Amino acid sequence: MLSFSDPETAASQFSGVPCGIEGDPYAAGIATSLFEAMGAECFSIRSDAKSLYHAAAVISNNFTVVLQALAREAWAEAGVSEDMAARLNDKLLIGTCENITAQGPQVALTGPAARGDTDVVAQQNRVVAGWHPTAGELYAQLSDLARSLKSSGKTR
C-alpha cells in the first residue's frame, strides 16, 4: 500500500512497502514473487475483505489529505498566511505521524476532545459550523470518535 501521487517518488519509496495480495492462489503466488523481487513485503488479504481493506487505505491516506487541506483553509480564514499555515501543517502532521508510530493512536491523541474539555469542543464546533457547515458536522463526529478512542482505545 503506497500513495502514488508522483510515480518517481512512489518508486523511490517502494522498498519495504506492505502489499496485500488477494485472488487466485496461482496468480497470487506470481504477484507475490514479483512484488517481493521489487522489495515489497507481501501479505494475504481475504477476498471478502478487499473493499474494507481499500476503504481503510482511503481513510488513512486520502482523508488525511482532505483534513490537511481543510485545516489550511481554516487557518487562511483565521488570517494565517499561506506560508505559515504550511509550516504549521507540516510541523503538526510530522509530529503526529511520529507519535502514532511510536505510541499508537490512543496515546498519541491530544486535543480538547481527548482531554474531555467539552466546553472548548462545543465552542470550536460552533465556530467551525458557522464557517463551513460540512466541516462543522465532521468536527462534531470526529470529536465523538476522539473521545471514544482516548477512553477505550477504539473509535466505537
Side-chain angles (χ1 to χ4, degrees):
M1 190 67 65
L2 183 65
S3 176
F4 284 88
S5 65
D6 173 62
E8 284 185 32
T9 301
S12 72
Q13 296 171 335
F14 196 79
S15 182
V17 167
C19 290
I21 305 293
E22 168 273 329
D24 172 79
Y26 178 74
I30 293 172
T32 297
S33 295
L34 291 171
F35 282 125
E36 287 177 348
M38 294 170 29
E41 181 182 333
C42 296
F43 62 97
S44 296
I45 60 170
R46 297 186 329 264
S47 295
D48 67 329
K50 187 175 180 180
S51 290
L52 185 58
Y53 169 79
H54 280 276
V58 169
I59 293 166
S60 177
N61 179 49
N62 302 108
F63 292 168
T64 299
V65 173
V66 172
L67 290 172
Q68 300 318 302
L70 185 60
R72 287 181 184 207
E73 291 172 24
W75 278 319
E77 183 70 19
V80 176
S81 72
E82 188 174 328
D83 179 60
M84 183 54 73
R87 290 172 54 208
L88 286 165
N89 191 207
D90 291 350
K91 189 68 170 171
L92 283 170
L93 187 58
I94 290 166
T96 299
C97 289
E98 289 173 355
N99 291 342
I100 292 168
T101 299
Q103 304 165 348
Q106 183 180 18
V107 174
L109 184 64
T110 64
R115 289 191 307 269
D117 197 338
T118 57
D119 291 340
V120 170
V121 171
Q123 171 61 24
Q124 290 177 351
N125 191 198
R126 283 190 296 275
V127 171
V128 172
W131 164 68
H132 188 310
T134 301
E137 292 174 25
L138 184 61
Y139 184 93
Q141 292 171 353
L142 288 173
S143 292
D144 288 344
L145 293 174
R147 276 190 290 276
S148 180
L149 175 60
K150 195 63 172 183
S151 67
S152 72
K154 297 189 183 277
T155 58
R156 55 184 185 134

